[in-house]
Amino acid sequence: MGATGHYVHRIKNAVEVDYTSTYSTDKTIKVNLNQDITDGGNAAPIKTRRIYSGNIQLIRLKGTVNGGETQITLKGYEDADGIELLLPASTAVFESAITGTDVSVVFKVDIFHAAPHDDLYLFCKTNNGTFTVNEVQVAWYE
């Protein structure tokens, strides 16, 4: 009997991107949803398919702030030029870590994505100052 039900996948990657108060095509985070499993093997193995499909559920950005910003706006696109919109603009407030100086922001999304490629480009802007992202996490199910 074949497997049934949903398979949950997670990507958690180290990155280094500085987001400021404007969107920019040279300041994006590219996530390869089919193959970017680099978190020590804790995520479920993914079968590479000719056409990627999945239901994106969560995007978390972790990093540091500098300049008084309190919130960030995120958009997701299928392309690096920011033309093929996938995730419409969503704004969230930074949450400080219980210990340390990091902040995180979590976006709960519910978007089905099917495409011949599996790239997701995250564009962000702050309300003020700079948010340096050092980790991105994306979770989805198929």
Side-chain angles (χ1 to χ4, degrees):
M1 176 192 282
T4 60
H6 293 291
Y7 295 92
V8 177
H9 303 284
R10 177 188 74 170
I11 290 171
K12 187 175 178 183
N13 288 345
V15 296
E16 187 70 31
V17 178
D18 292 330
Y19 287 118
T20 59
S21 58
T22 58
Y23 294 113
S24 174
T25 56
D26 65 340
K27 294 183 188 258
T28 65
I29 296 173
K30 178 184 174 186
V31 179
N32 182 312
L33 294 169
N34 231 6
Q35 300 183 13
D36 269 351
I37 301 196
T38 60
D39 66 353
N42 295 325
I46 298 173
K47 299 174 190 162
T48 302
R49 297 174 180 82
R50 185 174 56 83
I51 301 229
Y52 166 82
S53 65
N55 194 309
I56 301 169
Q57 294 292 296
L58 175 134
I59 298 171
R60 180 177 67 87
L61 304 174
K62 184 174 103 178
T64 57
V65 292
N66 180 14
E69 57 283 339
T70 57
Q71 63 187 23
I72 190 163
T73 303
L74 169 116
K75 292 182 182 183
Y77 289 85
E78 292 182 8
D79 63 302
D81 293 326
I83 297 169
E84 301 295 327
L85 182 66
L86 180 62
L87 301 170
S90 181
T91 301
V93 176
F94 292 112
E95 294 290 336
S96 298
I98 301 301
T99 60
T101 59
D102 285 343
V103 297
S104 293
V105 62
V106 174
F107 296 91
K108 169 68 174 102
V109 297
D110 186 14
I111 188 90
F112 182 76
H113 175 42
H117 59 83
D118 53 359
D119 297 332
L120 171 63
Y121 293 86
L122 302 177
F123 291 79
C124 295
K125 69 176 183 175
T126 65
N127 63 324
N128 184 33
T130 302
F131 175 42
T132 301
V133 180
N134 56 39
E135 184 179 275
V136 61
Q137 179 177 327
V138 178
W140 78 97
Y141 68 85
E142 60 174 317

